[in-house]
Amino acid sequence: MKTLTLAAALWLGLAMGAVAQSDDIRQTIRSQLDAFKSDDFATAYDYASPTIKNVFRNPEMFGHMVQHGYPMVWRPGAVVFLDIEERDGRVFQPVMIEDRSGKVHVLEYKMIQIENEWQIDGVRLLDSDGAIA
């Protein structure tokens, strides 16, 4: 009985940690989307990983890329978070985003944790079946 209780407590602790992790990841993405809605590219850029920041060099270039390459992210309608996935030690958060015309897009956010904060390390557009579009 003691072993069963310990196993249940351990499982519950891991589940609670996973829920907290999902909430933190989703809040990071939600905050970046909110920044894009306000054309606050500096704040949106703050949620990007160092790798992404090295590629785009500044918030203006980053904002330009999002406006032209991911308009559904720049001006999202409805946003639905799907189940987080872990593959090969990496964390991915799929998100369904409706664009201005009502078309639904599925994007996969690659997330990394740096100094206890989640950052966005890439986004790719998937087709409706979850494959790369």
Side-chain angles (χ1 to χ4, degrees):
M1 184 67 172
K2 202 180 229 182
T3 304
L4 182 59
T5 303
L6 181 60
L10 181 60
W11 179 83
L12 184 59
L14 291 174
M16 295 295 281
V19 168
Q21 175 177 291
S22 326
D23 288 347
D24 292 346
I25 287 170
R26 291 172 180 177
Q27 187 56 50
T28 296
I29 296 168
R30 207 175 275 116
S31 295
Q32 188 183 60
L33 292 172
D34 288 344
F36 282 131
K37 284 182 188 178
S38 302
D39 289 334
D40 184 353
F41 298 124
T43 297
Y45 188 72
D46 286 343
Y47 294 103
S49 71
T51 301
I52 299 301
K53 289 176 179 173
N54 279 336
V55 170
F56 294 102
R57 306 255 183 237
N58 62 57
E60 292 75 26
M61 288 178 67
F62 179 65
H64 180 79
M65 178 277 300
V66 171
Q67 284 176 307
H68 297 281
Y70 296 89
M72 75 291 286
V73 171
W74 176 49
R75 290 293 187 260
V79 175
V80 176
F81 291 91
L82 305 175
D83 292 336
I84 286 181
E85 301 172 20
E86 191 170 329
R87 297 189 306 268
D88 299 324
R90 296 184 185 132
V91 178
F92 298 91
Q93 172 63 70
V95 181
M96 287 186 354
I97 298 179
E98 185 179 46
D99 67 18
R100 287 181 167 184
S101 70
K103 183 177 178 185
V104 175
H105 306 269
V106 179
L107 294 103
E108 182 178 71
Y109 283 73
K110 180 181 173 190
M111 305 298 295
I112 62 169
Q113 196 170 28
I114 298 176
E115 296 177 9
N116 295 323
E117 289 190 21
W118 286 99
Q119 296 180 344
I120 299 165
D121 197 38
V123 178
R124 64 182 182 158
L125 185 61
L126 305 176
D127 68 15
S128 59
D129 297 327
I132 298 172

